Amino acid sequence: SSLDRAATLNRFNDTYYRTLSEGLLMQVSDQLEVITNTDTLTTDSEQYIQSLVAAAVNASATATELSPNNVANWLTRGLVYRELVPIQGSAAEFALESFGRAVVLEPANPSHWTEFGKAYLVAADAVQPLTAAENKEAATKAQNSFNNLLEGAESAFNTAVELKSNYAPAHFQLGVVYQRQGRLDDSIGKLESVAQYNTLDVGVHFELGLLYLQRNITG
């Protein structure tokens, strides 16, 4: 409520709207965490979540409208849309557009390219279930879209690595892309190299363990 009041009183300050959007997105995440399944989602809670989502989107959009050359605004707008993809698949297009604007504004920042690539990955994950559709035409269309999104993610992560060769987050995400593409050995090799230089990163070792299990099962 304080952030909302600050934005209301300072209607031309993009920072307040950007921060408000981030706060609203946290509230959306908190609400989704307490929902174990669709049976626990009441009409009131559904409407409340929808209102939070709309408010988060509007606040991030306002920030970019007020200051379209501020890369932080586009990153936040992209993050908002990316977080909404699992519950609203159409948000993927807007997430990619927003992160695309961010990398145009600061093309030499590997972090921006990594976030851009993660948006491609989230979009690909949203499309993947459709590749098993009974309608062959629909399944083929979904598979092509899935492949194209993974290629977009791979390109973005590779750009990040070209900008900073030892940028671990991009290397890790490349391993994720390879796994999605069915290139299991490439994925393991990539994460092994990341783990070698990040010996205390529990997440990397956990994912690597899962890949070893997957290779053992499929092999």
Side-chain angles (χ1 to χ4, degrees):
S1 59
S2 297
L3 289 172
D4 183 57
R5 182 169 174 77
T8 301
L9 293 173
N10 299 271
R11 293 183 297 109
F12 301 105
N13 190 315
D14 61 301
T15 301
Y16 293 126
Y17 282 100
R18 183 176 69 246
T19 309
L20 173 61
S21 178
E22 294 168 351
L24 288 165
L25 184 61
M26 291 176 64
Q27 282 194 302
V28 173
S29 298
D30 289 343
Q31 290 297 313
L32 293 177
E33 284 181 3
V34 301
I35 299 173
T36 56
N37 55 60
T38 54
D39 294 333
T40 63
L41 185 64
T42 66
T43 301
D44 288 342
S45 60
E46 182 178 5
Q47 292 178 345
Y48 180 56
I49 291 174
Q50 290 176 346
S51 66
L52 288 175
V53 167
V57 169
N58 289 337
S60 66
T62 300
T64 56
E65 290 168 2
L66 289 172
S67 186
N69 292 322
N70 187 336
V71 69
N73 292 336
W74 288 106
L75 291 171
T76 294
R77 186 170 178 175
L79 178 62
V80 169
Y81 282 123
R82 191 176 68 195
E83 292 298 310
L84 297 178
V85 171
I87 59 177
Q88 184 62 52
S90 61
E93 178 184 350
F94 301 107
L96 291 171
E97 179 184 350
S98 298
F99 284 119
R101 292 290 297 272
V103 297
V104 168
L105 289 170
E106 290 187 3
N109 192 318
S111 174
H112 300 347
W113 283 100
T114 301
E115 295 302 319
F116 193 19
K118 287 163 66 176
Y120 273 108
L121 265 180
V122 170
D125 287 343
V127 169
Q128 188 174 24
L130 301 177
T131 62
E134 293 184 4
N135 184 300
K136 291 185 177 180
E137 183 178 349
T140 299
K141 182 179 179 180
Q143 185 64 54
N144 291 335
S145 178
F146 179 69
N147 293 339
N148 290 335
L149 289 167
L150 288 181
E151 289 176 3
E154 184 178 3
S155 175
F157 296 137
N158 277 326
T159 300
V161 171
E162 290 171 4
L163 291 169
K164 187 176 181 180
S165 60
N166 64 342
Y167 193 60
H171 283 289
F172 176 84
Q173 294 298 333
L174 274 173
V176 175
V177 171
Y178 297 155
Q179 188 271 337
R180 298 287 199 281
Q181 293 174 330
R183 300 159 56 186
L184 202 55
D185 289 338
D186 289 337
S187 180
I188 289 174
K190 176 60 71 174
L191 289 191
E192 283 178 339
S193 66
V194 174
Q196 182 179 355
Y197 296 101
N198 297 270
T199 57
L200 300 180
D201 192 324
V202 177
V204 173
H205 290 280
F206 179 77
E207 291 297 329
L208 190 54
L210 292 178
L211 290 173
Y212 286 145
L213 283 174
Q214 184 179 350
R215 183 168 66 179
N216 183 61
I217 293 171
T218 58

